[in-house]
Amino acid sequence: MDHRPQAWGRPRDDVYGAYDASYLQSGGPKTATQSPIVTGTSVIAIKFKDGVVMAADNLASYGSLARFTDVKRLRPFLSTSVVGFGGDVSDMQFLTRHLNELAIDEAYEHESSPTSSSEDDPNAPPAGQLNAANLHKYLSKLMYRRRNDFDPLWNQILVAGFDSASAPFLASVDLRGTTFTSPSLATGFGAMLAQPIMRRYAATEADAARLTREEAVKVVKECMKVLFYRDARSLDRYSIAVVTKDGVELSEDEQLERQSWAFAERIKGYGTQTV
Amino acid sequence: MFRNNYDNDSVTFSPQGRIFQVEYAAEAVKQGSVVVGIASKTHAVLVAIKRNAEELSSYQKKLFPIDEHVGIAIAGLTSDARVLSNFMKQQCLGHRLTYGRNMPVRTLVEMIGSKAQINTQHYGKRPYGVGLLVAGVDDQGPHLFEFQPSGMTEEMVAFAIGARSQMARTYLEKNIDKFADCDREELIRHGLRALKESLVQDRELTVDNTSVGVAGAVKADDGSTKVEPFKVYDQQDVTAWIESVADDKEGAGAGEGEGMEVDP
């Protein structure tokens, strides 16, 4: 018995002579992305009483090389939601293009229709557009579908905005299509380093509902600093977005302020040891 | 002798620029019994006359729920309507699954519009022989749409399609200004009165032949919207509404003051 799968179901060599192997495909099975290449590190976000704050640094790493230092990893959607991408940057770019198409379709559908609900507030977004909860549901289906094709989009994504009851909304979806939600969320290293800090301020939904915007921004900035100190794939330039009922305020070139590396002296165990 | 050479398929124009197959399909809509739809600021209603093929048979359904928030009324070939209805149900369900929300009514209607239009452009296909009134509520409030076999769709304040529907439309045109601010019950009564207009002489609305469908989105004082899912009412559920319009004089409500006067 020939145990090589290539030989199965083919004429026996000892009877019919050697099989012309040029008919066989030598490349093996099709393989999709097996690991991310150019990556973004943590995205962090926390809810507060009238919205959500999200932040991510502007670095795209190529392995341990800080390859691109001006990559924007937060993007607004329909100026009512914000999507933050951790993980593979090319997959992020694919998703960004896809979301652009979705946003254009949505804007067209709701452009001409006379909006009955915006009478009282002319600045309100057109009623019926995809909100953050709808967008998160859609992205989760997309990610899960790609996982089932064994061709995952190698990202963990945070979606921030509002749900259909106009309450602040924050949820995550990863490359397997796993979804979860919490008053504060962080991807990648942030899940270890920033999440415990954010939980001190918003452990429960009730806590988050008491948090002011200023407090939330302060917590997020503090977390970005901790991440820059301890995450070796991070950068001190970052983007921060605040989603409220009035829309999305996105600042894409923030600089970490008041850094103190005094603690570094006491760290032992890395690099050249003088003692 | 004088055979029409331009009505064999739906891809050939006549020298006058008409597509006869599409026009014949529009005739099929006029064969169906009448359905009326009206939308106010808070509700969208459909009312319909059901027909029975013979005295011993049941009445053919005219109103169909599509999803929680949408329903249709049909006039024309019921079997064609089933195809469209199944398609609409699937699209609504798919939309709910992928986005977690009700499909906007306009999006849904444009989908069947495109689907029907394709049938008017391919050799060997035929247009759907059915017209629809689509009523539903979404985040933008209540809507009423008309759908024609040609693929034409249009948003309406109020409309009627089917046999003798011109009479009902005349009633609706006379009362169009009242509909926007009508409450649920008033709107249904307007629908039933329009329906009565188009009845032939010796027929009247009964619990057996009348269907009513309602969807609503009522704004509460705190700004939240309470959605009333689309529901079809038949039989004893429509008794009260029929009785409430029964004592109207012939054509009453149609013209205040200009109606026929009874002899002194």
Side-chain angles (χ1 to χ4, degrees):
Chain A
M1 157 100 198
D2 193 340
H3 291 279
R4 294 171 306 140
Q6 292 93 319
W8 296 351
R10 300 190 192 290
R12 285 167 55 184
D13 286 359
D14 53 338
V15 178
Y16 296 98
Y19 185 77
D20 182 359
S22 68
Y23 290 118
L24 295 172
Q25 290 180 11
S26 53
K30 176 184 175 283
T31 51
T33 316
Q34 304 288 306
S35 61
I37 309 295
V38 179
T39 57
T41 182
S42 331
V43 185
I44 60 172
I46 187 169
K47 284 195 214 176
F48 63 97
K49 67 181 163 76
D50 7 69
V52 190
V53 187
M54 191 187 285
D57 67 27
N58 293 348
L59 180 67
S61 309
Y62 181 61
S64 59
L65 173 71
R67 183 65 183 81
F68 305 103
T69 53
D70 58 349
V71 175
K72 312 295 190 281
R73 297 193 291 126
L74 303 186
R75 62 151 285 161
F77 183 80
L78 291 173
S79 58
T80 52
S81 313
V82 170
V83 188
F85 299 88
D88 194 89
V89 170
S90 63
D91 286 351
M92 173 188 87
Q93 290 170 336
F94 167 81
L95 279 164
T96 305
R97 282 197 294 274
H98 189 70
L99 289 181
N100 276 337
E101 277 176 35
L102 189 67
I104 290 169
D105 288 349
E106 263 305 284
Y108 262 115
E109 264 171 41
H110 296 278
E111 171 201 42
S112 57
S113 39
T115 49
S116 49
S117 56
S118 58
E119 284 161 8
D120 24 81
D121 184 4
N123 291 327
Q129 285 200 342
L130 287 177
N131 60 33
N134 300 144
L135 180 64
H136 175 257
K137 173 82 95 186
Y138 176 75
L139 284 172
S140 72
K141 302 289 171 188
L142 180 66
M143 299 295 270
Y144 184 59
R145 169 68 198 268
R146 291 294 296 258
R147 173 218 106 115
N148 283 346
D149 292 344
F150 285 88
D151 187 13
L153 293 166
W154 217 286
N155 299 104
Q156 187 172 357
I157 303 171
L158 298 189
V159 183
F162 293 89
D163 62 16
S164 51
S166 301
F169 175 88
L170 173 62
S172 154
V173 56
D174 69 7
L175 70 163
R176 297 170 192 85
T178 319
T179 61
F180 45 89
T181 173
S182 157
S184 62
L185 281 175
T187 76
F189 244 118
M192 292 82 173
L193 298 173
Q195 186 69 292
I197 302 171
M198 291 192 287
R199 285 209 182 126
R200 284 216 291 269
Y201 297 90
T204 62
E205 292 288 344
D207 293 336
R210 277 194 294 272
L211 221 55
T212 66
R213 176 189 169 139
E214 288 69 30
E215 285 169 329
V217 170
K218 194 165 155 255
V219 174
V220 164
K221 288 190 170 174
E222 187 61 29
C223 288
M224 288 312 285
K225 196 190 291 186
V226 171
L227 283 170
F228 180 57
Y229 286 153
R230 313 234 73 151
D231 178 359
R233 307 282 169 268
S234 67
L235 194 67
D236 55 352
R237 304 205 79 89
Y238 65 99
S239 308
I240 187 163
V242 184
V243 202
T244 59
K245 293 240 166 54
D246 303 323
V248 177
E249 291 160 55
L250 176 59
S251 165
E252 291 185 316
D253 199 22
E254 295 275 320
Q255 170 75 41
L256 274 187
E257 283 155 1
R258 298 196 296 111
Q259 294 176 38
S260 163
W261 289 87
F263 70 91
E265 264 182 76
R266 297 191 300 276
I267 295 179
K268 292 272 194 274
Y270 306 101
T272 316
Q273 298 294 302
T274 50
V275 183
Chain B
M1 286 188 289
F2 296 113
R3 241 170 54 83
N4 187 344
N5 293 314
Y6 298 99
D7 68 351
N8 288 318
D9 53 66
S10 55
V11 297
T12 312
F13 276 106
S14 81
Q16 286 78 38
R18 299 160 63 180
I19 299 172
F20 282 104
Q21 281 295 326
V22 174
E23 292 183 22
Y24 297 159
E27 285 305 311
V29 177
K30 292 180 192 160
Q31 309 268 339
S33 63
V34 66
V35 290
V36 174
I38 316 178
S40 73
K41 280 181 185 164
T42 55
H43 289 86
V45 306
L46 297 172
V47 292
I49 293 282
K50 290 180 286 187
R51 277 204 289 232
N52 53 348
E54 46 188 303
E55 204 53 36
L56 297 169
S57 74
S58 66
Y59 286 80
Q60 182 64 52
K61 270 176 74 180
K62 297 283 283 177
L63 302 186
F64 297 89
I66 296 296
D67 197 9
E68 268 178 45
H69 66 303
V70 192
I72 56 169
I74 66 166
L77 300 181
T78 311
S79 38
D80 279 8
R82 269 174 47 81
V83 173
L84 286 171
S85 151
N86 284 339
F87 174 78
M88 291 165 89
K89 284 177 186 177
Q90 283 184 13
Q91 293 302 319
C92 282
L93 225 48
H95 194 93
R96 190 179 294 284
L97 191 75
T98 40
Y99 296 101
R101 67 169 183 184
N102 289 336
M103 183 176 237
V105 185
R106 176 181 292 277
T107 314
L108 178 65
V109 171
E110 278 171 8
M111 280 178 139
I112 55 166
S114 311
K115 192 174 157 67
Q117 194 279 335
I118 286 169
N119 287 349
T120 68
Q121 227 186 14
H122 285 278
Y123 189 81
K125 286 188 186 285
R126 67 165 175 83
Y128 291 108
V130 69
L132 306 181
L133 292 180
V134 183
V137 289
D138 55 29
D139 292 341
Q140 298 181 63
H143 297 280
L144 174 72
F145 285 90
E146 178 211 2
F147 160 85
Q148 285 287 323
S150 58
M152 188 215 70
T153 59
E154 201 146 36
E155 178 149 27
M156 294 296 194
V157 173
F159 205 57
I161 55 173
R164 296 164 57 86
S165 56
Q166 183 53 51
M167 311 283 280
R169 282 201 294 277
T170 307
Y171 173 90
L172 296 172
E173 281 164 17
K174 277 185 180 154
N175 294 279
I176 187 167
D177 296 327
K178 299 177 191 160
F179 297 146
D181 296 310
C182 274
D183 68 19
R184 185 177 184 272
E185 304 301 309
E186 276 178 82
L187 207 61
I188 294 170
R189 281 199 293 273
H190 274 301
L192 290 173
R193 285 197 202 101
L195 213 55
K196 279 177 79 174
E197 293 290 312
S198 65
L199 285 176
V200 287
Q201 204 70 60
D202 54 343
R203 287 194 64 182
E204 54 184 14
L205 299 179
T206 68
V207 289
D208 293 316
N209 72 5
T210 310
S211 280
V212 177
V214 192
V218 182
K219 252 201 178 150
D221 293 329
D222 61 342
S224 65
T225 311
K226 194 176 180 311
V227 172
E228 177 189 346
F230 183 83
K231 190 172 177 222
V232 177
Y233 299 88
D234 281 309
Q235 295 295 326
Q236 68 270 18
D237 296 331
V238 299
T239 318
W241 289 320
I242 291 176
E243 279 169 7
S244 70
V245 295
D247 45 346
D248 292 0
K249 293 184 292 293
E250 278 291 308
E256 281 133 323
E258 62 186 69
M260 278 188 294
E261 289 294 331
V262 191
D263 289 339

